[in-house]
Amino acid sequence: MENRKALVIDDEQVVLDSVRKILDAENYEVDVTLKGKKGINLAINNSYDIVLTDIRMPDIGGLIVLRDIKRSKPSLPVVIITGYGSVSSAVQAMKLGAADYIQKPFDPDQLIQSVSKAIDLSISQKPEEQKIIHKQEVIKVLELAADDSHLRNELLYYGSDALNEFDLTGPEKLAIITGDIQWIDQQIGPLTAKQKQWLEARLSAEIW
C-alpha cells in the first residue's frame, strides 16, 4: 500500500517541522510550504490525500486557500490550523467546506486524529458542488450589501455567520466572503457596478 501524502501550509517553520515529524512517524509523505499561494499551486498540481493550512498568513488567507483548492479538487480534505485568536474563523471555515480544524499548540494524537477524521470524511461524504446554485440570492446579498451599512459591517466582522438568513451554499458564501469577483462573474454573468461594490470592498479589507 502506498503511503498517504500530505501538504502542510503555514507561515511558521516550527509548525511545518512539527507537523512533518508527526506525520512522518505515521508513514505519510509530507510536503510543506511557508506560502499560501505556493500551497494552492502544489495542491492543484499534485496528488495529496490531505491538506493542512494555517488560517492566517501574510501572503494569502486560509479561506482563499480553502476556496481555491476546493474549486479544483472538491473531494480533497482541508484541515485548518489556527491559533487561539482565530478559532472563530476556523469554525467558519468548517461551515464553508473545511473538514476539521486543529488549534495550536497541538499534540501528536490531536493532529493524527484530525487528519484521520478528515480523510475518512472525504471518503464517505459527497463533496459540495463548486458552482452557484442560488443566483438570485447571491445577487440579492451583493445589492443589499451595497446599500446597507449594517449588513456590510456584519459581513466584515462576522463573515459567513452574517449570511445565515440567506439561502446560500458553502461555496457561494465563501465566494462572497473572499470577494471573488471573477468566479461570480463567470458563474452568473457580468456584475453591475453596484453588485461589485461589496466584493471590491472585501478585497481591500484588512479583516480576514
Side-chain angles (χ1 to χ4, degrees):
M1 181 177 175
E2 291 186 4
N3 290 351
R4 283 177 165 168
K5 294 187 67 175
L7 171 65
V8 190
I9 309 165
D10 197 291
D11 63 326
E12 295 181 82
Q13 187 65 50
V14 65
V15 174
L16 298 181
D17 292 342
S18 176
V19 175
R20 188 204 291 272
K21 182 178 179 181
I22 294 167
L23 293 182
D24 274 347
E26 296 295 311
N27 296 317
Y28 280 81
E29 294 180 25
V30 184
D31 291 336
V32 300
T33 178
L34 292 161
K35 301 293 185 180
K37 290 181 180 178
K38 182 178 179 181
I40 292 170
N41 289 331
L42 285 170
I44 290 173
N45 295 309
N46 296 277
S47 178
Y48 294 103
D49 297 286
I50 185 82
V51 174
L52 299 98
T53 181
D54 193 4
I55 192 69
R56 294 187 184 277
M57 293 177 286
D59 69 324
I60 194 170
L63 288 181
I64 293 180
V65 173
L66 171 67
R67 181 194 76 192
D68 289 356
I69 290 175
K70 284 294 183 180
R71 292 270 175 79
S72 178
K73 297 182 176 180
S75 297
L76 180 59
V78 177
V79 171
I80 301 296
I81 302 171
T82 181
Y84 175 77
S86 54
V87 168
S88 62
S89 296
V91 171
Q92 281 200 29
M94 286 191 64
K95 297 177 183 177
L96 299 172
D100 198 8
Y101 77 90
I102 185 167
Q103 185 176 338
K104 296 181 282 189
F106 48 80
D107 61 41
D109 287 341
Q110 289 174 319
L111 178 64
I112 293 165
Q113 182 179 10
S114 179
V115 167
S116 297
K117 172 185 171 184
I119 291 175
D120 289 345
L121 195 66
S122 72
I123 295 170
S124 64
Q125 289 190 354
K126 183 179 178 181
E128 199 164 14
E129 287 191 79
Q130 299 296 309
K131 64 180 182 180
I132 289 181
I133 298 172
H134 307 102
K135 176 179 176 178
Q136 294 306 318
E137 199 77 348
V138 171
I139 292 173
K140 177 182 176 181
V141 170
L142 296 179
E143 294 193 344
L144 282 173
D147 294 328
D148 186 344
S149 61
H150 176 71
L151 178 58
R152 288 198 299 273
N153 289 333
E154 292 283 304
L155 285 166
L156 281 172
Y157 291 101
Y158 298 107
S160 66
D161 289 343
L163 298 173
N164 287 341
E165 66 182 272
F166 300 97
D167 185 18
L168 298 169
T169 65
E172 289 166 348
K173 290 180 180 179
L174 191 51
I176 292 170
I177 293 303
T178 56
D180 196 355
I181 295 174
Q182 182 177 358
W183 186 75
I184 295 175
D185 258 346
Q186 291 172 346
Q187 291 285 309
I188 65 178
L191 298 174
T192 66
K194 180 178 180 180
Q195 292 163 359
K196 287 182 180 179
Q197 187 174 327
W198 153 254
L199 297 173
E200 291 169 343
R202 186 57 175 147
L203 286 173
S204 64
E206 296 182 358
I207 302 170
W208 290 91

